[in-house]
Amino acid sequence: MALRKYDIKSYRGFGAMTILCLVVLYAPLIVVTIYSFNASKSITVWEGLSLRWYVDVFSGPESAKFKLAAWNSFVIAIIASTIATAIATLAATAIVRGGKFRLRTASIGLISLPLMVPEIVTAVATLIFFNYIGFDRGLLTIVLAHIAFCIPFAYLPIAARMQGIEDSYEQAAMDLYATKRQVFTRILLPLMAPGIVSGYLLSFIVSLDDFIITNFVKGAGVETLPTAIFGAVKQGIKPNIMAISTMLLAVSIIMVTISYIVSKSDNTK
Amino acid sequence: MAAQAESGGGATTDTYKEARTWLLMPAWLVLLVLSLAPVSMILIYSFLTKEFRGGVIWEFSLAAYDQFFFDRGLFGDEAPQIEWTYITIFWRSIWQAGAATILSLIIGFPTAYFIATRAEKVRPIWVFLVTIPYWVNLLIRTVSMKFLLRDQGPLNDFLLSTGLIDNPIHIVNTNFAVQLGLFYSYLPFMVLPIYASVERYNFALSEAAADLYATKWVTLRRILLPAIKPGVIAGCILVFVPSLGSFLAPDLLGGAKNFMIGSLIEEQFKGNAGNWPFGAAASMILLTMVLIILLVFARRQANAEKREG
């Protein structure tokens, strides 16, 4: 190794910046998590550890509202991410295993459209569209909007995974007279499982977390967890909101971690 | 994200050549109906006449764009002058998004470089640590930021107790708070593409420069930076573009004075303004700008790849 002055792999201050980066990323989340365990009624004063706000979320005066919102959020996320993942899996098969064809680039473009258009524009567009076709806004409109928005998030890990799988297994199966359908269900899908799980979880989180699109396409009185939280926060941050946020935060982190482990575990093979 | 989606290209096999129409059908159906058609309808709506309380009348009109750019007096009969209100909001959005981008570049670049120069085994763990916060609900993250920055919030408490400041710093409801919020929302997007390009970078080039007695900073500026420029630009776009149309950070951290274009659009559809064609026109102006940025970037990227062969 040359003199430190010439060591191009370490720059003074870069390590410190990395620490600063992680502090910035995690500090707000950690602070809210800590304060969600605050015994005090006021969010400014710390009065010791307590679970009272978690109890409040489940049995306090606003619990019915939040439980319904959470239920809506989970039902929407399960339906939207299941459909989006199924659609994305089929599309990825066509795009990765369908050879070269004219609409290939257009298909990729169409799938990534929801990522390129600013979310507020997607939200407004969907509102206008449902209004134009005279579709009553409610849970169904949220589900439909989420399906479209979740497709690219499911597609990315699935397509990436499929590209990593050589088609020799499929070729071998076909040499042994397996039909295309059998090859798809017995060879390709099982090999794809980690990518599909990862895509499913990511689109689930995206649906669970979405605020802007939901806020535009939901019907009056229909709330999901984020829109209920937004409504409550407008009147000021309260301790029970911090407890709900901490739980939602935990759900997201757990799901991302599972998705990470699943996709990792298989890459090493 | 756009750049990542494009990487669905590359080598392909044709096992499912015959079935591809059927396999693609659901995606095309859903996305044409629920994504492309709605976005196209914004264009149409921006050229319609507004109805008094929300909605539109199907009559062609340029009123929405006219209202955005020109002021014709209270009764619409004066000579048109440039209307600065909305241009200012648009300009503020660009400025705020730009500031957030620069801030994330300052923190994100060293982070990406640092991670990419760690041992190969631990890199994924660092990357994972940087990615996690992105998957936490944006609303919750923005609210957390607001909580942290409040006048009586933990940050001020901390600074007061260390004696660094005598009075709480007022951050919430300023432009700076919005910049911080945007920076915080999209920082992982800056780190990831830069990390990816530094990881692919051939460090022998830097070593060669060092062997010729270039100092480290000269090597960084003249050798490394030009080589990883596409990654840096990708990171800047991934932070700038979503920041530009952001609604939550300006709404929760900026207050009424620090309106951005996302809030302007929101108000036309959900708020009291109720002018759909105007909201659609503002959306079109935002969308056009975003698409131009992405197109210029995609073209440059394609040219760069062609040059590399």
Side-chain angles (χ1 to χ4, degrees):
Chain A
M1 188 63 42
L3 286 167
R4 208 179 136 70
K5 190 178 163 200
Y6 295 105
D7 174 13
I8 43 86
K9 289 210 175 176
S10 78
Y11 282 86
R12 180 176 301 171
F14 277 27
M17 278 300 207
T18 307
I19 302 301
L20 179 65
C21 178
L22 291 179
V23 168
V24 166
L25 285 173
Y26 285 90
L29 304 179
I30 292 170
V31 163
V32 160
T33 304
I34 294 172
Y35 273 80
S36 74
F37 293 104
N38 190 354
S40 166
K41 234 189 154 99
S42 139
I43 57 164
T44 29
V45 195
W46 177 261
E47 278 178 15
L49 283 171
S50 149
L51 284 173
R52 66 180 282 194
W53 297 112
Y54 288 87
V55 175
D56 183 85
V57 169
F58 289 102
S59 55
E62 291 182 306
S63 61
K65 185 177 91 184
F66 286 125
K67 274 183 202 161
L68 179 62
W71 171 251
N72 285 342
S73 275
F74 277 97
V75 170
I76 292 166
I78 288 172
I79 300 175
S81 53
T82 306
I83 298 176
T85 308
I87 292 174
T89 307
L90 299 180
T93 310
I95 287 170
V96 181
R97 290 285 199 263
K100 285 207 184 320
F101 56 102
R102 246 188 323 151
L103 284 177
R104 196 166 174 273
T105 313
S107 302
I108 296 172
L110 190 64
I111 287 171
S112 30
L113 190 69
L115 297 178
M116 291 192 272
V117 176
E119 209 182 340
I120 189 122
V121 177
T122 306
V124 167
T126 318
L127 169 69
I128 287 179
F129 178 73
F130 283 134
N131 194 275
Y132 176 72
I133 60 170
F135 212 91
D136 273 339
R137 278 182 276 154
L139 277 180
L140 185 59
T141 48
I142 306 178
V143 172
L144 290 172
H146 280 206
I147 291 172
F149 190 64
C150 284
I151 287 177
F153 288 93
Y155 175 82
L156 289 175
I158 293 175
R161 169 98 195 150
M162 200 177 293
Q163 254 159 356
I165 301 172
E166 278 188 46
D167 69 347
S168 47
Y169 296 102
E170 294 149 71
Q171 300 295 350
M174 279 193 289
D175 286 345
L176 299 168
Y177 300 102
T179 62
K180 288 271 163 77
R181 185 181 290 269
Q182 283 173 322
V183 172
F184 184 74
T185 53
R186 299 208 189 158
I187 313 278
L188 193 56
L189 276 187
L191 284 172
M192 286 294 303
I196 293 173
V197 171
S198 169
Y200 184 86
L201 292 174
L202 294 189
S203 53
F204 189 90
I205 300 174
V206 166
S207 168
L208 196 64
D209 284 359
D210 176 72
F211 165 72
I212 294 178
I213 293 174
T214 310
N215 187 37
F216 275 83
V217 301
K218 78 188 180 72
V222 181
E223 301 284 355
T224 64
L225 219 34
T227 63
I229 292 174
F230 184 76
V233 166
K234 275 293 182 185
Q235 287 138 34
I237 305 172
K238 280 184 289 180
N240 60 343
I241 293 302
M242 290 199 263
I244 295 178
S245 300
T246 305
M247 286 188 279
L248 203 49
L249 194 153
V251 170
S252 300
I253 291 179
I254 290 168
M255 296 194 97
V256 180
T257 310
I258 295 173
S259 155
Y260 175 78
I261 294 169
V262 167
S263 61
K264 196 94 235 127
S265 65
D266 222 81
N267 278 347
T268 49
K269 251 196 250 171
Chain B
M1 295 307 265
Q4 285 168 10
E6 288 299 331
S7 70
T12 56
T13 54
D14 58 1
T15 322
Y16 293 99
K17 199 174 170 183
E18 296 86 9
R20 69 190 172 208
T21 314
W22 293 107
L23 292 169
L24 274 172
M25 194 78 86
W28 273 88
L29 265 177
V30 168
L31 290 167
L32 279 180
V33 173
L34 291 170
S35 187
L36 193 61
V39 171
S40 319
M41 284 189 79
I42 295 188
L43 179 65
I44 300 172
Y45 266 56
S46 70
F47 289 108
L48 296 178
T49 309
K50 75 163 171 172
E51 206 168 39
F52 185 53
R53 274 197 63 81
V56 286
I57 300 167
W58 281 83
E59 243 170 66
F60 177 80
S61 157
L62 285 172
Y65 291 96
D66 190 77
Q67 184 188 347
F68 195 99
F69 292 110
F70 298 109
D71 175 15
R72 293 174 193 275
L74 199 54
F75 301 103
D77 51 1
E78 289 165 30
Q81 286 184 321
I82 291 180
E83 166 69 272
W84 288 105
T85 316
Y86 306 116
I87 298 176
T88 307
I89 292 174
F90 201 70
W91 173 245
R92 184 188 298 136
S93 309
I94 295 174
W95 162 246
Q96 297 284 69
T101 307
I102 291 169
L103 206 56
S104 15
L105 186 61
I106 293 172
I107 305 277
F109 178 79
T111 305
Y113 190 88
F114 181 81
I115 296 176
T117 49
R118 294 310 95 190
E120 207 167 318
K121 266 206 160 141
V122 294
R123 280 180 222 160
I125 300 168
W126 281 100
V127 172
F128 183 58
L129 277 176
V130 172
T131 333
I132 285 184
Y134 167 71
W135 294 108
V136 172
N137 194 323
L138 182 61
L139 173 63
I140 289 179
R141 284 192 287 150
T142 313
V143 171
S144 306
M145 198 63 167
K146 182 172 184 167
F147 178 74
L148 183 71
L149 298 178
R150 283 172 337 121
D151 289 5
Q152 287 96 33
L155 181 67
N156 271 316
D157 281 354
F158 174 73
L159 292 176
L160 286 169
S161 71
T162 56
L164 279 171
I165 53 170
D166 295 326
N167 290 305
I169 314 172
H170 183 65
I171 304 175
V172 173
N173 290 343
T174 63
N175 276 329
F176 181 59
V178 179
Q179 290 161 15
L180 271 184
L182 293 173
F183 153 75
Y184 179 50
S185 305
Y186 304 113
L187 178 58
F189 284 178
M190 180 64 84
V191 177
L192 298 179
I194 299 182
Y195 163 77
S197 54
V198 176
E199 207 195 17
R200 274 195 310 254
Y201 172 70
N202 180 2
F203 277 99
L205 296 172
S206 287
E207 276 158 25
D211 285 347
L212 297 169
Y213 299 103
T215 60
K216 284 193 331 189
W217 291 99
V218 170
T219 310
L220 181 79
R221 215 175 58 237
R222 308 263 306 258
I223 313 292
L224 176 84
L225 266 185
I228 62 159
K229 207 165 103 194
V232 176
I233 296 174
C236 290
I237 287 176
L238 289 177
V239 176
F240 186 78
V241 165
S243 294
L244 199 58
S246 179
F247 165 70
L248 281 175
D251 191 75
L252 290 172
L253 290 162
K257 269 193 319 201
N258 303 298
F259 235 50
M260 281 172 58
I261 190 139
S263 330
L264 178 69
I265 295 171
E266 203 258 2
E267 202 185 43
Q268 306 306 318
F269 291 92
K270 298 283 287 185
N272 299 320
N275 186 341
W276 283 31
F278 183 66
S283 304
M284 274 318 294
I285 292 166
L286 171 64
L287 184 61
T288 309
M289 188 162 162
V290 166
L291 291 183
I292 288 173
I293 296 173
L294 293 178
L295 259 168
V296 169
F297 174 65
R299 176 146 305 174
R300 286 189 61 157
Q301 198 86 317
N303 286 342
E305 269 162 36
K306 224 178 277 166
R307 247 177 286 132
E308 280 168 24

